[in-house]
Amino acid sequence: MALFVEVAKRKSFSQAAAALGMPISSLSRRISLFEQLVGLRLLDRTTRRLVLTSYGEAYYSQATRLVEEAQKAFDDLVAETKGPSGLLKIAAPPDFWVLRHLSQIVTDFSAQHEHIRVHVDLKPSTIDVVGGHHDLAVTIEEPRETSLIMRKVAEVANGLFAAPGYLDAYGWPKAPGDLATHRTIVATAGTETTWSLSRDGESISVTVGGPISCNSPSLARRLALAEQGIISSHRLSVERDLMQGRLEQVLSEWDLPPTPVYIVTSSRLLPAKTRSFIDFAMKRLPAMLAAATDGELWGTSNARKVGVTLT
């Protein structure tokens, strides 16, 4: 049952075999014997892909729960004797805020859990918890797979930022409506985007655009540093640029919709090592993000605090 769940989850014998640490031939033979035992074909195999039959789909949904409950019971039993243990694989984007804050979380967690080995996998692309064999992911992007479980750690306020050279050339926007005449770097190709700003109960929507667009926050930041326009970003991604004067915040009295920070897993039934890290991170990470976005790090020139909502 556990072998079938692993193959069905990854829809690949090779990926499942790698995760299980066994030969593909042995795994395929075990699944074939299992199908012969139940008298039903659960998987349709071709040279290019593997899909579940209708019987396989029905069995997978039930078997997954049973396998996860069995694994959790085993992990809890082991944890009772020596505490949480094993290899914990964490996926995260290679953003500056991750390098700065997640590293401290991992360091402190490791010091308190001597039997857990932690591996942090920085992924510049969209994080794939299942395909990447990760126990959890820390991300600001909502996963595309609806089956994944998201736990919101915090909400980090966003702002508008531009390089001093750009502002010298094009001027500082004095009000949200001024953004319509500025070069802005938006995520949607070839079309204009609407930015919604609010202040003291007042809300304004502004249509913005520019000659350059990209769907990568990291590249948008680099384009802003190259004086190509104004970007919308959460403060954590540009904190080093603000400290060093390479970017300035514009219209700082106006707020944009906040960016959630998530911890993502593939199941609600988690082994002790994963639960321990999530509990630890959800206690420590919100306070660290709050400290990183308040005025203490930016000095009195940016005294207005950029809020973090603890959840």
Side-chain angles (χ1 to χ4, degrees):
M1 183 187 296
L3 297 181
F4 166 77
V5 166
E6 197 68 34
V7 172
K9 179 170 63 175
R10 303 182 188 281
K11 292 185 170 55
S12 166
F13 272 97
S14 60
Q15 291 185 21
L20 293 164
M22 64 187 300
I24 298 176
S25 57
S26 299
L27 178 59
S28 179
R29 184 172 62 253
R30 294 282 296 275
I31 297 299
S32 295
L33 289 173
F34 184 49
E35 290 177 318
Q36 293 173 25
L37 177 65
V38 298
L40 293 169
R41 192 163 186 81
L42 304 175
L43 299 167
D44 280 332
R45 310 161 177 81
T46 68
T47 56
R48 293 187 176 182
R49 63 175 185 161
L50 181 151
V51 295
L52 293 170
T53 65
S54 58
Y55 298 112
E57 289 280 3
Y59 183 69
Y60 174 62
S61 63
Q62 299 179 56
T64 299
R65 177 177 55 81
L66 295 174
V67 169
E68 289 178 343
E69 288 179 349
Q71 183 64 53
K72 178 179 179 296
F74 176 79
D75 289 333
D76 288 345
L77 185 63
V78 173
E80 284 292 325
T81 59
K82 65 176 184 179
S85 61
L87 174 64
L88 179 68
K89 295 185 66 176
I90 302 171
D95 296 341
F96 175 65
W97 72 271
V98 171
L99 301 178
R100 177 172 181 173
H101 304 298
L102 185 59
S103 61
Q104 187 61 54
I105 293 288
V106 169
T107 299
D108 295 344
F109 175 79
S110 183
Q112 295 185 21
H113 298 80
E114 59 178 324
H115 298 296
I116 299 178
R117 294 172 292 120
V118 182
H119 174 74
V120 180
D121 191 4
L122 297 182
K123 309 290 288 186
S125 57
T126 301
I127 292 173
D128 181 3
V129 176
V130 176
H133 309 165
H134 300 109
D135 295 290
L136 62 94
V138 179
T139 179
I140 60 172
E141 295 183 8
E142 290 195 21
R144 297 175 183 175
E145 297 181 48
T146 56
S147 61
L148 296 178
I149 309 302
M150 297 187 301
R151 297 166 177 82
K152 188 166 69 173
V153 182
E155 285 186 340
V156 183
N158 285 316
L160 300 177
F161 306 95
Y166 170 85
L167 296 171
D168 289 342
Y170 292 89
W172 286 71
K174 305 296 187 208
D178 296 342
L179 295 171
T181 60
H182 273 266
R183 297 162 61 102
T184 56
I185 302 166
V186 298
T188 307
T191 61
E192 294 180 324
T193 296
T194 299
W195 282 349
S196 297
L197 297 91
S198 60
R199 179 186 66 180
D200 300 328
E202 177 186 6
S203 296
I204 295 179
S205 296
V206 184
T207 301
V208 298
I212 301 177
S213 61
C214 73
N215 62 354
S216 165
S218 296
L219 180 57
R221 169 186 159 272
R222 290 183 177 274
L223 291 169
L225 291 171
E227 304 178 2
Q228 295 305 303
I230 300 173
I231 60 168
S232 168
S233 173
H234 60 83
R235 187 79 176 246
L236 296 174
S237 288
V238 298
E239 58 178 290
R240 182 166 51 180
D241 302 313
L242 291 170
M243 285 189 290
Q244 297 177 356
R246 295 183 298 188
L247 289 178
E248 297 280 356
Q249 184 172 3
V250 300
L251 297 175
S252 60
E253 69 277 15
W254 290 88
D255 296 319
L256 283 81
T259 296
V261 179
Y262 298 107
I263 290 179
V264 181
T265 61
S266 60
S267 172
R268 295 187 186 278
L269 293 171
L270 302 172
K273 61 181 181 181
T274 308
R275 295 201 311 274
S276 296
F277 182 84
I278 291 175
D279 291 343
F280 187 86
M282 293 190 75
K283 291 176 182 176
R284 296 286 302 278
L285 191 56
M288 292 179 68
L289 297 183
T293 51
D294 72 19
E296 295 177 3
L297 286 184
W298 316 112
T300 55
S301 61
N302 283 310
R304 176 180 167 272
K305 293 186 177 181
V306 182
V308 173
T309 303
L310 308 187
T311 60

